[in-house]
Amino acid sequence: MESLTLSDVEQKYYSDLFVYCDTDNTKKVASNGRVLDLFRAAQLPSEVVLQITELCGATRLGHFGRSQFYIALKLIAIAQSGLPLRVESLNSVKDLPLPRFVVGKNEAEARHAALYQDSDSQGLYPASATAVIPRPPGRGHQNKKGPPTSTSLPLNTAPEPTSPVVSPHQSPPTSPHSWRKHKRQHSGGNPDRPPVVAATGAVWTQFREPQSGPVSGDGMWSSHSPPLPSQESWVSFTADTPPSSTLPTMHPSSVQESTTIRTVASAATTNEIQRQSSAYDDPWKITDEQRQYYINQFKTIQPDLTGFIPGSAAKEFFTKSKLPILELSHIWELSDFDKDGALTLDEFCAAFHLVVARKNGYDLPEKLPESLMPKLIDLDDSAEVPEPTTDVGYSASPVEVTPSKSPSMPSLNQAWPEMNQSNEQWETFSERSSSSQTLTQFDSNIAPADPDTAIVHPVPIRMTPSKIHMQEMELKRTGSDHNHPTSPLLAKPPEMSEEAKLPASMKFVAANTVGDGYSSSDSFTSDQEPITRQRSQSGTSPEALKVVAPPPPPPRPHPSHSRSSSLDMNRTFAAASATGQPQPSTIAYPPAVPPRPLPTQGVSGGGAVLTTTSPQQIPQQPNFADFSQFQAFAASEQPSSLPEVDKHSDSGQVGRDGQAEIHLSTVNSGSSGPLAPPPKPVRRRLKSEDELRPEDEQHGPQKSNVIAAVLATQPSIPRSVGKDKKAIQASIRRNKETNTVLARLNSELQQQLKDLLEERISLEVQLEQLRPFSHL
Amino acid sequence: MAVCIAVIAKENYPLYIRSVPTQNELKFHYTVHTSLDVVEEKISAVGKALGDQRELYLGLLYPTEDYKVYGYVTNSKVKFVIVVDSSNTSLRDNEIRSMFRKLHNSFTDVMCNPFHNPGDPIQSKAFDGIVSGMMVQTG
């Protein structure tokens, strides 16, 4: 197959036909129905068609590639003009009339045939007008060529005002179609090349309209669906760029064509061209030519197609279109999908498309149409696969101002809830410091080795929330509070549940509390269900140890915007806790070590009390292990006072802090008992943990007290029990486990601290740089 | 739900102010204006040395018998002010914070728009949409 040089007209015509036939949008046209129809419509004898097919190489390949298709079309034109079919004639025949296709489903081709005429075939036009077939009945679209007034209206080449000849397959002729208006717009000197070219660009796109909109004369224009801008309108604001340069596949041949193109351009600049039709199925779809044009425009600003255009350059560029700034601003908002102030190729194409649409009179949509959403774009327009939305690897860190965008934008749906979008944006932030997350995720639900001994495995909850968690938490918080029949929330007085309902980022919604102390690493969403683990120590009196779910990790500060406010948010949260206000969203609660089952007789006495207490208590204080139980039996001499204290706390409790105080008090009271010696060494160790939680200042002591209490109780166990050696051994085992857990926790917290310190340092450095610009 | 939301520039002129229309809007404008004094006081309270420690969320600026005023200031001294109805007691502090966060996000998006000149009134539809979502839904 030799190379094929096409005139501009031919180029356009063929590409239209190709796109028309390329129903699968695969850039290859198989020998499918449309192609065959097209060839049949050429009204050539079948053997000629076969010969053509063979010549163009399609039989070899099995399908029509773009070049094969073009060659086939050219051969058809040759055949139709009566010339012998030869490969050599492909390039040698000059001024070949465009192939004409008669039969009707291809109303596009039919119209093309009518329009795409070169100068010599002006005379042919009336003849071909007869060949022009109105749109097939299915389209419901009326088309008509204007009268051939070749005088002042260069575009009005042939079409007759009367109804075109109808093929037998077609319905009766349709009402006249006023391209006239369209053609009238094309001013300027039209030399030999009929302005058909210009018309074609406009008209053929019109043919692609969906079957909506009644067609009736001039009013038709307004009924068109949102336009695909024609070539003319593309150039409306780039004052001097002839469209010919935008179609890289064109072979600019003669001056004739170029003048025609310029005509097109000049016609476009008048910009009175009415709406153009859209693609067959999607009014906002960008056609190949348009995309190529946009890409070329993009190249003029930014040679690297995988790079992006900064906002200022884009502003200048689009200001040339002379749209009002407000509309340009709106277009920007629609098209800058990742809100970073710069346009990738996709965004640029979308913006360009919207500008052109607007210039053609179409209103801007409120939301970005689906077909304009940035996706993975090949220059070949191959079908994209939308990328997963949430885990897009934005290379931008929260601090960088000009991240290098990956060319593959995720196909984000703008209609997302805002949370998704903001989440996605600050996902980067969380990903950066997500290293610590993995550490904390222990395997959940580790079955106790010995059910009898009731070893409770602590299951640390991930300390740093992931987006999923937060969403789930929100959902669960709002949804499950009323759904779960056994939720302690229902048992509580309503105001308690109100307190428990921490908004947005608060994790451990109360339901967690009663729940599962051993929630899995990513399932404190499931913590809503209260799970009561019954650990029976010696099988005598089963205690209902309500293990409090470990508190949800602190919410990752929302890097709501990758550039600026992420810093703020960090500070916000860091400062928030520093202010000492109850900041539930910022407090990091360590995973609460579940209370150890206590094999004491005193426990059984206190157990009953505890069971009544804990349902009320736990919802309030989800993050703390329910070590009031420990207190109860640890300070077994005060079994009744503690539950009462707790009850009081329950009734009076409003916030976590109150609870914490009570716990503190219980801890203190507990430690004041016979347990005084043991807690001390424990506490010393726990103090280091406090340091590791910078954002946890106020609760650090509480936490240490929690742990102190927990640990304090354990030494007391062998003391108070003294008789059950097995229990002692079990408790020793438990202690060891607790130790390992706490050691691990320690390391994680240290890691987190390091990260935070690094961040803080970097932020401080940045602030120092910015300081000269801020004046108090 | 807020009854009035305002964005005030560094030079203390409003970039965007919107209130529930059923009430006397002028009153809200005046309230926002007077709240600026409180804002200034709060941001100057933190000394220069502690510049980066200053929190963006200022919290309740002052309550009146009818409503409460919350403030938020960005690092570029753009202030957001939200006026909420006092009768609306179910609004938690965190909800107010999240409202400010959303406002800040939208504001940043507006700023990213190269066609928007900082200092111009905000005319972004997206921003309007966000604000409408936060306003009291009056019949």
Side-chain angles (χ1 to χ4, degrees):
Chain A
M1 226 170 344
E2 71 241 17
S3 61
L4 180 65
T5 56
L6 295 174
S7 65
D8 293 333
V9 185
E10 288 174 334
Q11 175 68 30
K12 285 192 208 101
Y13 185 20
Y14 293 173
S15 64
D16 299 336
L17 292 176
F18 186 81
V19 173
Y20 173 73
C21 289
D22 191 11
T23 49
D24 297 335
N25 202 22
T26 59
K27 296 288 165 280
K28 292 188 307 201
V29 175
S31 304
N32 59 6
R34 280 211 175 152
V35 176
L36 296 178
D37 287 349
L38 191 67
F39 288 176
R40 245 179 278 128
Q43 288 181 331
L44 296 172
S46 56
E47 52 271 13
V48 177
V49 174
L50 277 178
Q51 194 181 2
I52 288 174
T53 319
E54 208 176 339
L55 273 179
C56 75
T59 44
R60 270 194 324 234
L61 292 178
H63 62 268
F64 286 94
R66 195 178 264 269
S67 48
Q68 284 89 31
F69 190 78
Y70 289 1
I71 290 175
L73 291 175
K74 185 114 190 189
L75 288 173
I76 289 173
I78 291 174
Q80 280 176 342
S81 47
L83 301 173
L85 279 184
R86 256 186 227 101
V87 181
E88 307 81 59
S89 59
L90 274 181
N91 289 327
S92 58
V93 177
K94 301 242 183 295
D95 296 334
L96 191 66
L98 293 173
R100 297 187 298 277
F101 301 95
V102 179
V103 180
K105 276 200 197 145
N106 307 329
E107 78 282 5
E109 291 76 11
R111 284 183 234 137
H112 296 328
L115 297 177
Y116 286 86
Q117 298 289 331
D118 53 11
S119 55
D120 301 339
S121 57
Q122 272 276 11
L124 292 178
Y125 203 82
S128 63
T130 64
V132 170
I133 303 299
R135 212 161 310 123
R139 290 261 157 194
H141 211 56
Q142 312 295 341
N143 263 321
K144 192 63 172 99
K145 326 283 188 270
T149 62
S150 47
T151 56
S152 60
L153 306 178
L155 286 186
N156 282 343
T157 49
E160 293 149 355
T162 59
S163 63
V165 167
V166 179
S167 83
H169 310 296
Q170 293 304 313
S171 57
T174 59
S175 58
H177 179 61
S178 62
W179 303 346
R180 223 164 309 160
K181 191 182 280 189
H182 181 79
K183 296 169 195 158
R184 239 173 259 131
Q185 309 310 327
H186 292 274
S187 61
N190 262 335
D192 354 293
R193 231 7 137 157
V196 171
V197 175
T200 57
V203 172
W204 66 254
T205 56
Q206 195 163 18
F207 300 155
R208 293 165 178 254
E209 278 178 71
Q211 299 95 351
S212 61
V215 171
S216 59
D218 301 354
M220 178 175 188
W221 295 97
S222 53
S223 68
H224 292 176
S225 49
L228 277 187
S230 66
Q231 306 162 5
E232 298 87 336
S233 55
W234 295 353
V235 300
S236 61
F237 60 88
T238 58
D240 49 352
T241 311
S244 58
S245 68
T246 71
L247 299 177
T249 59
M250 285 176 64
H251 306 267
S253 45
S254 66
V255 177
Q256 254 186 351
E257 283 84 16
S258 56
T259 54
T260 311
I261 302 299
R262 274 194 283 277
T263 308
V264 172
S266 63
T269 51
T270 64
N271 197 27
E272 298 168 79
I273 295 168
Q274 298 287 338
R275 297 135 196 233
Q276 307 306 320
S277 64
S278 61
Y280 289 114
D281 44 356
D282 185 355
W284 290 103
K285 199 166 175 177
I286 304 180
T287 66
D288 294 341
E289 284 74 18
Q290 290 171 333
R291 185 168 287 286
Q292 277 304 313
Y293 180 67
Y294 299 158
I295 289 172
N296 289 329
Q297 290 297 311
F298 185 93
K299 279 187 199 155
T300 62
I301 310 178
Q302 161 74 271
D304 176 17
L305 285 177
T306 59
F308 49 95
I309 297 181
S312 47
K315 175 179 179 176
E316 287 173 29
F317 182 79
F318 286 115
T319 310
K320 279 192 272 176
S321 72
K322 302 203 182 32
L323 283 180
I325 293 288
L326 191 56
E327 295 187 9
L328 288 174
S329 174
H330 188 59
I331 288 176
W332 177 277
E333 278 180 4
L334 289 179
S335 58
D336 184 11
F337 206 74
D338 49 3
K339 301 274 181 270
D340 60 354
L343 297 180
T344 63
L345 182 59
D346 299 342
E347 293 171 338
F348 178 82
C349 289
F352 212 134
H353 201 64
L354 288 171
V355 167
V356 176
R358 186 76 189 125
K359 287 203 84 72
N360 284 331
Y362 272 91
D363 292 329
L364 295 176
E366 285 306 311
K367 289 199 162 126
L368 195 65
E370 280 233 355
S371 53
L372 292 183
M373 289 206 183
K375 294 178 189 170
L376 256 184
I377 292 280
D378 267 339
L379 289 186
D380 296 334
D381 279 347
S382 55
E384 327 295 353
V385 175
E387 292 199 13
T389 56
T390 57
D391 298 326
V392 173
Y394 280 103
S395 54
S397 73
V399 180
E400 288 178 30
V401 177
T402 57
S404 59
K405 282 196 211 194
S406 64
S408 57
M409 300 272 302
S411 73
L412 307 170
N413 188 351
Q414 260 187 353
W416 281 356
E418 176 189 314
M419 178 152 187
N420 277 348
Q421 200 162 11
S422 59
N423 286 348
E424 171 220 345
Q425 281 168 342
W426 56 262
E427 189 69 20
T428 58
F429 191 84
S430 63
E431 282 169 39
R432 262 183 1 124
S433 47
S434 65
S435 58
S436 60
Q437 292 181 7
T438 56
L439 296 177
T440 61
Q441 306 195 11
F442 288 87
D443 182 24
S444 67
N445 302 325
I446 299 173
D450 186 353
D452 291 340
T453 61
I455 294 175
V456 173
H457 294 267
V459 175
I461 301 283
R462 57 190 299 158
M463 295 308 298
T464 49
S466 75
K467 174 169 64 76
I468 303 166
H469 280 81
M470 292 177 61
Q471 281 175 337
E472 283 177 324
M473 290 303 301
E474 261 197 350
L475 287 172
K476 294 241 176 183
R477 169 172 60 80
T478 54
S480 72
D481 286 347
H482 309 290
N483 297 341
H484 205 292
T486 65
S487 164
L489 291 177
L490 299 180
K492 289 188 327 180
E495 54 271 14
M496 298 305 183
S497 59
E498 198 51 42
E499 308 311 323
K501 279 198 191 110
L502 303 172
S505 48
M506 246 357 260
K507 304 343 161 280
F508 43 92
V509 179
N512 282 342
T513 64
V514 182
D516 195 0
Y518 312 114
S519 57
S520 61
S521 57
D522 57 348
S523 67
F524 55 90
T525 60
S526 62
D527 290 344
Q528 296 281 334
E529 291 100 53
I531 300 175
T532 300
R533 296 227 187 154
Q534 304 263 341
R535 307 280 181 212
S536 69
Q537 182 58 37
S538 50
T540 54
S541 61
E543 293 173 18
L545 286 182
K546 299 238 166 48
V547 174
V548 177
R556 188 151 299 280
H558 287 262
S560 54
H561 198 276
S562 61
R563 280 208 221 122
S564 57
S565 44
S566 59
L567 307 180
D568 301 337
M569 289 308 151
N570 285 341
R571 302 252 175 76
T572 298
F573 287 113
S577 55
T579 58
Q581 302 168 14
Q583 301 295 341
S585 61
T586 61
I587 301 305
Y589 289 103
V593 178
R596 292 284 177 260
L598 303 167
T600 61
Q601 297 156 348
V603 175
S604 59
V609 181
L610 289 172
T611 49
T612 58
T613 306
S614 46
Q616 299 171 8
Q617 190 179 15
I618 286 167
Q620 295 174 4
Q621 214 28 277
N623 52 317
F624 284 103
D626 197 8
F627 52 81
S628 62
Q629 304 159 8
F630 299 133
Q631 308 306 326
F633 62 78
S636 54
E637 64 273 14
Q638 313 162 5
S640 55
S641 64
L642 282 171
E644 284 171 17
V645 171
D646 294 330
K647 278 186 192 141
H648 288 314
S649 74
D650 286 9
S651 52
Q653 171 78 28
V654 180
R656 183 177 320 103
D657 294 341
Q659 182 73 16
E661 292 157 17
I662 288 156
H663 282 288
L664 282 173
S665 63
T666 54
V667 168
N668 292 334
S669 65
S671 58
S672 62
L675 308 173
K680 277 181 195 160
V682 175
R683 233 170 261 207
R684 236 184 289 123
R685 206 191 80 200
L686 292 168
K687 276 295 183 269
S688 60
E689 276 183 278
D690 295 346
E691 295 159 7
L692 297 178
R693 306 296 308 209
E695 66 263 12
D696 198 12
E697 297 99 357
Q698 75 192 85
H699 293 277
Q702 297 171 2
K703 171 193 163 184
S704 66
N705 289 334
V706 172
I707 299 186
V710 169
L711 297 172
T713 61
Q714 294 164 4
S716 73
I717 295 172
R719 276 195 207 179
S720 50
V721 179
K723 49 185 179 182
D724 199 339
K725 289 225 160 102
K726 204 174 177 190
I728 293 171
Q729 284 165 358
S731 65
I732 290 172
R733 217 177 309 144
R734 262 179 274 118
N735 290 344
K736 285 191 185 144
E737 282 156 21
T738 309
N739 289 344
T740 53
V741 167
L742 291 173
R744 209 179 298 187
L745 178 66
N746 188 14
S747 61
E748 292 159 24
L749 293 175
Q750 278 177 338
Q751 178 75 26
Q752 279 188 356
L753 175 68
K754 275 182 214 148
D755 292 340
L756 287 170
L757 288 178
E758 278 174 19
E759 283 174 27
R760 181 191 171 129
I761 289 169
S762 66
L763 292 175
E764 283 179 1
V765 165
Q766 281 203 339
L767 188 69
E768 276 308 313
Q769 292 168 357
L770 293 172
R771 195 175 286 279
F773 303 118
S774 69
H775 31 90
L776 281 172
Chain B
M1 297 319 225
V3 293
C4 173
I5 291 177
V7 179
I8 294 135
K10 182 162 79 168
E11 293 81 10
N12 289 335
Y13 62 87
L15 292 176
Y16 182 90
I17 181 162
R18 182 139 149 226
S19 26
V20 169
T22 57
Q23 317 228 359
N24 186 3
E25 297 193 37
L26 196 59
K27 180 180 79 170
F28 289 127
H29 288 216
Y30 175 70
T31 308
V32 168
H33 192 269
T34 54
S35 69
L36 288 179
D37 279 337
V38 187
V39 171
E40 290 285 326
E41 177 193 332
K42 282 195 188 269
I43 63 178
S44 64
V46 183
K48 231 189 181 323
L50 297 177
D52 28 313
Q53 307 293 334
R54 184 169 52 76
E55 187 190 322
L56 303 179
Y57 176 68
L58 302 175
L60 182 68
L61 297 179
Y62 66 92
T64 71
E65 72 271 9
D66 288 336
Y67 45 81
K68 304 192 193 107
V69 182
Y70 294 88
Y72 181 100
V73 60
T74 70
N75 279 332
S76 53
K77 300 284 179 293
V78 174
K79 301 149 189 100
F80 299 103
V81 175
I82 292 183
V83 181
V84 300
D85 214 346
S86 277
S87 56
N88 194 0
T89 51
S90 65
L91 269 185
R92 313 299 309 157
D93 190 60
N94 254 343
E95 291 177 21
I96 305 279
R97 281 177 188 270
S98 72
M99 284 164 74
F100 276 124
R101 209 174 304 139
K102 270 197 275 182
L103 269 181
H104 197 169
N105 291 348
S106 315
F107 179 74
T108 320
D109 292 344
V110 168
M111 284 298 140
C112 280
N113 190 331
F115 298 101
H116 177 270
N117 301 315
D120 285 352
I122 296 176
Q123 284 163 320
S124 150
K125 290 188 196 159
F127 192 80
D128 283 343
I130 301 266
V131 170
S132 308
M134 292 203 273
M135 303 279 278
V136 176
Q137 316 296 334
T138 56

